[in-house]
Amino acid sequence: MSHVMNTYARMPVAFTHGEGAWLFDETGKRYLDALSGIAVSTLGHNHPRLVRAIAGQAACVLHTSNLYRIPLQEELADRLAAMSGMDEVFFCNSGCEANEAAIKLARMYGHKREVANPTIIVMEGAFHGRTMATLSATGNRKSQAGFEPLVSGFVRVPYRDIDAIRKVAEHNPNIVAVFLEIIQGEGGINIADEAFQRELRTVCDEREWLLMCDEVQCGMGRTGKWFGFQHAGIAPDVITLAKGLGSGVPIGACISAGRAKGLFGPGNHGSTFGGNPLACAAALETLAVIDDEGLMGRAVEIGEFIRNGIAQGLEGVAGVRDIRGRGLMIGIELDRPCGVLVAQALEAGLLINVTSERVVRLLPPLTFGREEANALLERLVPLLRDFLRQN
């Protein structure tokens, strides 16, 4: 019996190696990876440039400390600032750590404005992580159950409801920030429309609140732009990144600008491992490959091809509520719970995920091409069709 703590309902498979969009298990069976470790393996598996970059850095130095200058960290911060139009970057190891930093920035911002109980507006259906503060910000009662008391300082409103936000603004003088996922991943691939994002920016400006965008899952080129907020042309005060930033090497980032710039000083926050040379080398190479191979444009093209293929394949089949997404962040919402599809897809040599009980979630590597997209459709469409007809 394994001594690994039982925190995941793991699938009965272990992978030994990968090549491109394919993974291979211990028996040699191959699987098309349409999940990429939940939006992590941006470049797929065993990308030669990423392998060289990691091996080369490992041969130099893996880790020093944030007590010293780290030139690769400075280079990566400059790159992210240029891509996002923002100013300062704090590096950590994961999305929840990046979001924790954002929450602390908001509280620091509030206290500097002499707000006694700084409070952040968060959204129903949101997922910001599993640390105590990010779990408290998460809009999923199932994830929170058993961990009360939760951290105070959050007010929850329905997703994309600008009137609800304005109503909170009228009655709560403690609000200092709004935390928004541009696309809710765990929540079911729900997209904040561009008009809502622009109106939210206006409200935040009127109230001098921070607009904080959680880009942990939808950032890093997955939607066809570096960041989800860039589709609406807004400028957040804080954004958070992780997952696809290092293409499998753990790294997260909390990036600030505007009112959130300059809030932290030495001793206010920190990370032992965050932004170490190995992680930064992986992230810099990931960004370079996305640029050099035109992967953001490909995400738009292949994402549309997959959504259209699924729609055509399921035409006339009852039970499909919606096929939505942006770029290579795709959700297929059914009218019934469909978690069993994950195991059925695994048997068929396909890795997918189901979230919010009824939404099949696809997050393929950005290196997915037409060949892989066709292989995905050949496996997934019959599974969905049979499931809906038999259940």
Side-chain angles (χ1 to χ4, degrees):
M1 187 173 179
S2 171
H3 290 283
V4 175
M5 194 172 283
N6 188 28
T7 56
Y8 280 85
R10 300 175 197 273
M11 304 297 291
V13 65
F15 300 109
T16 57
H17 63 287
E19 191 68 40
W22 297 89
L23 281 167
F24 298 82
D25 72 11
E26 294 163 306
T27 69
K29 179 179 175 179
R30 73 173 192 163
Y31 302 78
L32 181 62
D33 187 358
L35 189 60
S36 62
I38 315 180
V40 167
S41 303
T42 304
L43 305 183
H45 305 283
N46 198 23
H47 192 290
R49 284 183 56 180
L50 184 63
V51 170
R52 278 198 301 273
I54 292 171
Q57 187 56 48
C60 294
V61 62
L62 294 175
H63 177 80
T64 54
S65 168
N66 282 305
L67 294 173
Y68 314 107
R69 282 188 56 223
I70 301 174
L72 285 173
Q73 188 183 110
E74 295 168 6
E75 182 181 344
L76 180 59
D78 290 347
R79 182 85 168 91
L80 291 172
M83 289 159 49
S84 63
M86 302 187 73
D87 296 317
E88 298 177 335
V89 186
F90 170 81
F91 289 105
C92 49
N93 308 288
S94 67
C96 68
E97 287 178 73
N99 287 337
E100 191 85 19
I103 291 166
K104 289 180 70 174
L105 273 176
R107 287 197 171 191
M108 181 71 83
Y109 174 69
H111 284 300
K112 288 192 173 180
R113 298 178 64 212
E114 299 184 346
V115 177
N117 296 297
T119 299
I120 301 170
I121 293 178
V122 293
M123 309 285 167
E124 292 177 1
F127 186 89
H128 296 296
R130 294 182 188 274
T131 62
M132 282 310 301
T134 58
L135 182 68
S136 302
T138 288
N140 184 324
R141 184 64 200 128
K142 187 177 174 184
S143 298
Q144 295 172 336
F147 299 107
E148 299 85 354
L150 300 174
V151 175
S152 62
F154 300 99
V155 172
R156 200 171 311 285
V157 300
Y159 190 55
R160 299 174 291 213
D161 190 337
I162 198 70
D163 290 337
I165 291 170
R166 287 191 181 280
K167 196 170 182 179
V168 171
E170 291 173 10
H171 300 290
N172 192 333
N174 291 316
I175 302 298
V176 295
V178 180
F179 210 173
L180 170 72
E181 284 175 287
I182 300 296
I183 302 179
Q184 290 184 335
E186 295 295 320
I189 315 295
N190 303 310
I191 303 173
D193 61 83
E194 293 166 13
F196 167 76
Q197 292 178 52
R198 286 192 279 267
E199 199 162 355
L200 181 59
R201 178 70 271 181
T202 299
V203 172
C204 288
D205 287 339
E206 291 170 352
R207 299 283 175 172
E208 297 187 346
W209 296 345
L210 302 182
L211 174 55
M212 308 198 300
C213 294
D214 180 339
E215 297 261 357
V216 168
Q217 193 165 138
C218 70
M220 304 318 305
R222 181 157 292 281
T223 66
K225 292 185 181 290
W226 283 117
F227 308 107
F229 71 82
Q230 290 175 329
H231 291 279
I234 61 170
D237 299 295
V238 178
I239 63 173
T240 57
L241 304 174
K243 289 191 180 293
L245 177 56
S247 204
V249 176
I251 182 170
C254 177
I255 309 176
S256 65
R259 298 182 183 93
K261 179 183 176 183
L263 289 171
F264 281 167
N268 288 139
H269 199 47
S271 170
T272 296
F273 296 104
N276 72 22
L278 182 73
C280 290
L284 282 165
E285 193 63 20
T286 297
L287 299 179
V289 173
I290 291 173
D291 253 345
D292 295 346
E293 298 188 4
L295 297 185
M296 287 189 284
R298 190 189 298 188
V300 173
E301 177 201 338
I302 299 300
E304 187 176 359
F305 179 79
I306 292 172
R307 288 193 298 277
N308 288 339
I310 293 169
Q312 290 168 13
L314 297 179
E315 190 172 4
V317 179
V320 180
R321 282 188 173 167
D322 195 15
I323 300 166
R324 57 178 176 262
R326 177 167 274 168
L328 285 174
M329 194 168 182
I330 299 169
I332 306 144
E333 183 176 355
L334 308 183
D335 66 353
R336 67 204 74 172
C338 58
V340 297
L341 282 168
V342 176
Q344 293 175 5
L346 185 74
E347 182 64 27
L350 175 64
L351 304 182
I352 61 169
N353 175 246
V354 167
T355 190
S356 295
E357 293 190 340
R358 299 163 191 259
V359 181
V360 176
R361 178 169 51 167
L362 304 177
L363 299 162
L366 301 193
T367 51
F368 238 54
R370 284 289 180 114
E371 184 179 339
E372 289 85 3
N374 278 318
L376 166 66
L377 294 172
E378 288 167 7
R379 288 165 172 76
L380 182 61
V381 169
L383 277 176
L384 291 169
R385 197 185 297 133
D386 291 346
F387 172 79
L388 289 168
R389 285 175 176 163
Q390 294 170 10
N391 294 275

